[in-house]
Amino acid sequence: MKITSICCIGAGYVGGPTMAIIAQKCPHIKVTVVDLNAERIAAWNDPDVNNIPIYEPGLSDLVAQARGRNLFFSTEVEKGIDEAQMIFISVNTPTKTYGLGKGMAADLKYIELCARQIASVAKDNKIVVEKSTLPVRTAEAVKNILDNTGNGVQFQILSNPEFLAEGTAVDDLLNPDRVLIGGDVNGGNEAIDSLVEIYANWVPKERILTTNLWSSELSKLTANAFLAQRVSSINAMSELCEKTGADVNELSKAIGMDSRIGPKFLKASVGFGGSCFQKDILNLVYIAKSYGLNKVADYWEQVVIMNDHQKKRFANNIVQTLYNTVSGKKIAFLGWAFKKDTNDTRESAAINVADYLLNEQANVTVYDPRVKEKQIVNDLLYLKSRSIEEINKGVSVFDDPYEVCKGAHAIAILTEWDEFKDYDWKKIYDNMKKPAFIFDGRNILDAKKIKEIGFHFNAIGRED
């Protein structure tokens, strides 16, 4: 099938950027991104492309090039489904907060709703592509729903997981390590070929890997589990470094030069965040337990346990260093996003560290160059550990990094934004309570220079 029209259900962190790239690289294909969230769609359609709802370097330029030509954003979901030959499902699959599998299993209600809506609307044959991160064998459930509509429409199901890193998503899409497409290799070759041909407009064919559906679905969970495991592994060693006098940065460099290991994801920090790592590992744990593979489940669950420990350990260190109390003390947070070059805060370490310090009656002030006050308040509300009145009393958000640090007893660096390195740290020091403390949760500052100014400096994995 020669594809000339695509619909993507879901205008979030995956659907929006992916469809922008497809539209830009395939001007012969009409790409429509649909979402029931009218506010989000309005932001994607904002005449000023700098106001689109997702911040990714280079994304606004891509949207500007294709929007209105062959890239469209709409709330008319059924119209988008009806007109498309290929439909990408790119909706949220959060961890369940209720019932069987609570706290671990992926909540697939939005996936099922999409499948039922496609089934009810479709009048001709469609290729349905799973873009959301899903448990293995979800495609089977989607196909069962689609094939039992009784209207004679034929559906082919493909799995096309994303391997994007937020902050570099545009480059990851333009120059991917691989594009993975899973399908029915016995009966779904035409559908697979159709999707291969779309990506082949800019991706070398040797980087387009085709597998069966189940391998594709499981590959995404496995990739994220392996990456998160590396972060937890180096964070575990960071605690040992602090006790023994070793430097975790030197340790990372030494082992990263081993070609069998490599240097990536070996940077010690306050802990990993983002929408995928924790969710996907817990999903993997749940799947393993559902098959009775308890030792496998325990192994992967330890990655999350170590990550939670690192965040709590960082917060504990602040309290203990500030003479075992932060009650009434101002702790300035630099960074709230889970990593630099994104405005995504999902599972950000800053949320849990702030919650812990608020429990200790600290006054938390926050500055992040891309995260707004509304999002910060919503993140803390989501924990359900305090009311909005308590959050407003204990947390203040500033638009200026120097104001956020003024009068603070301590600064905690929670995101590795490049701009933090270039601040006038002498000016910041002069306007803080003394002794003035810095807790570098991302190991981005020059310890020697910071200490020469007069700061008491604490970093992850070093005996500073």
Side-chain angles (χ1 to χ4, degrees):
M1 184 188 296
K2 189 72 173 176
I3 302 299
T4 58
S5 59
I6 288 173
C7 173
C8 175
I9 305 175
Y13 279 89
V14 175
T18 303
M19 293 303 115
I21 296 290
I22 290 177
Q24 199 241 9
K25 293 295 184 180
C26 306
H28 57 287
I29 298 177
K30 179 184 178 183
V31 179
T32 305
V33 183
V34 296
D35 200 299
L36 291 174
N37 187 328
E39 184 180 355
R40 179 181 290 173
I41 291 297
W44 279 111
N45 284 321
D46 194 305
D48 183 352
V49 290
N50 292 313
N51 293 329
I52 60 176
I54 292 167
Y55 174 72
E56 279 287 336
L59 179 59
S60 58
D61 292 337
L62 287 168
V63 171
Q65 291 171 30
R67 193 177 62 186
R69 181 193 69 191
N70 67 321
L71 175 64
F72 304 92
F73 297 91
S74 172
T75 55
E76 296 181 278
V77 179
E78 293 192 356
K79 183 172 183 263
I81 292 170
D82 180 50
E83 294 178 351
Q85 298 161 292
M86 180 178 283
I87 301 165
F88 286 77
I89 298 178
S90 187
V91 296
N92 196 17
T93 52
T95 302
K96 284 186 75 176
T97 57
Y98 59 91
L100 189 64
K102 177 181 178 181
M104 284 195 176
D107 191 339
L108 301 179
K109 64 182 178 183
Y110 302 115
I111 296 291
E112 182 173 340
L113 286 170
C114 280
R116 293 190 182 279
Q117 190 167 24
I118 293 168
S120 67
V121 171
K123 303 184 192 71
D124 49 19
N125 297 345
K126 308 282 186 188
I127 298 171
V128 177
V129 183
E130 296 177 336
K131 198 66 184 170
S132 303
T133 303
L134 300 168
V136 66
R137 303 200 79 86
T138 301
E140 198 167 43
V142 172
K143 187 161 179 58
N144 284 339
I145 292 169
L146 294 172
D147 285 349
N148 284 282
T149 60
N151 58 8
V153 173
Q154 297 296 309
F155 296 96
Q156 294 191 74
I157 314 298
L158 300 178
S159 169
N160 177 218
E162 54 85 14
F163 296 98
L164 308 180
E166 290 185 42
T168 59
V170 170
D171 189 58
D172 293 340
L173 285 161
L174 290 172
N175 304 289
D177 292 335
R178 77 298 202 193
V179 171
L180 182 57
I181 300 171
D184 181 356
V185 290
N186 297 316
N189 287 331
E190 288 183 9
I192 292 173
D193 291 344
S194 295
L195 190 50
V196 167
E197 287 306 311
I198 290 171
Y199 282 110
N201 281 279
W202 75 95
V203 180
K205 282 203 172 179
E206 60 268 21
R207 290 197 205 165
I208 303 175
L209 177 65
T210 58
T211 69
N212 71 37
L213 273 169
W214 324 130
S215 296
S216 178
E217 288 181 334
L218 191 55
S219 291
K220 176 60 192 301
L221 296 182
T222 306
N224 280 340
F226 273 53
L227 294 174
Q229 179 195 48
R230 286 172 68 92
V231 177
S232 279
S233 293
I234 197 64
N235 280 342
M237 297 312 299
S238 74
E239 189 168 6
L240 188 57
C241 285
E242 291 167 20
K243 298 297 183 185
T244 60
D247 185 325
V248 74
N249 294 329
E250 295 175 347
L251 185 72
S252 296
K253 185 175 182 179
I255 65 171
M257 291 177 73
D258 188 324
S259 60
R260 298 167 300 175
I261 297 172
K264 294 184 178 179
F265 285 82
L266 289 180
K267 187 169 177 58
S269 70
V270 68
F272 62 73
S275 63
C276 289
F277 279 6
Q278 178 160 309
K279 180 187 75 171
D280 288 357
I281 294 170
L282 292 174
N283 196 353
L284 193 59
V285 169
Y286 182 74
I287 292 168
K289 286 184 175 180
S290 70
Y291 285 108
L293 307 176
N294 292 323
K295 294 295 184 185
V296 174
D298 291 346
Y299 176 83
W300 287 111
E301 189 172 11
Q302 191 61 40
V303 174
V304 175
I305 291 170
M306 185 65 227
N307 194 54
D308 290 341
H309 168 69
Q310 187 77 345
K311 290 182 282 190
K312 187 172 184 180
R313 189 171 78 83
F314 182 79
N316 264 333
N317 187 37
I318 293 174
V319 176
Q320 290 169 5
T321 305
L322 268 65
Y323 317 113
N324 289 314
T325 179
V326 291
S327 179
K329 293 179 180 177
K330 179 178 176 179
I331 313 296
F333 278 31
L334 290 178
W336 191 267
F338 86 92
K339 64 184 290 190
K340 72 174 184 177
D341 294 333
T342 181
N343 59 349
D344 193 355
T345 64
R346 286 174 289 182
E347 300 295 342
S348 173
I351 302 169
N352 297 98
V353 174
D355 186 59
Y356 185 89
L357 294 177
L358 289 170
N359 286 340
E360 294 291 322
Q361 300 182 355
N363 295 320
V364 175
T365 60
V366 183
Y367 166 77
D368 187 287
R370 289 289 172 179
V371 181
K372 304 301 182 187
E373 181 174 4
K374 180 181 177 182
Q375 184 60 53
I376 292 168
V377 172
N378 285 340
D379 288 337
L380 291 168
L381 278 174
Y382 185 77
L383 296 178
K384 297 180 179 178
S385 55
R386 55 185 47 81
S387 67
I388 189 166
E389 291 79 16
E390 291 171 317
I391 293 169
N392 289 333
K393 182 180 177 183
V395 180
S396 302
V397 181
F398 290 79
D399 294 327
D400 184 290
Y402 294 94
E403 285 299 315
V404 87
C405 298
K406 187 177 291 184
H409 293 77
I411 296 168
I413 298 177
L414 278 304
T415 311
E416 69 280 18
W417 289 102
D418 291 333
E419 68 177 66
F420 295 166
K421 303 174 191 176
D422 300 324
Y423 287 168
D424 184 343
W425 285 102
K426 178 67 166 63
K427 177 181 175 181
I428 290 173
Y429 174 80
D430 289 342
N431 288 307
M432 287 178 64
K433 300 284 188 186
K434 306 298 186 298
F437 296 86
I438 291 182
F439 298 86
D440 189 352
R442 298 293 172 180
N443 280 344
I444 63 171
L445 297 183
D446 185 322
K448 184 172 181 289
K449 289 181 180 178
I450 292 296
K451 286 192 283 188
E452 284 175 353
I453 290 170
F455 283 104
H456 292 258
F457 184 74
N458 287 262
I460 300 285
R462 290 170 15 206
E463 200 183 34
D464 292 308

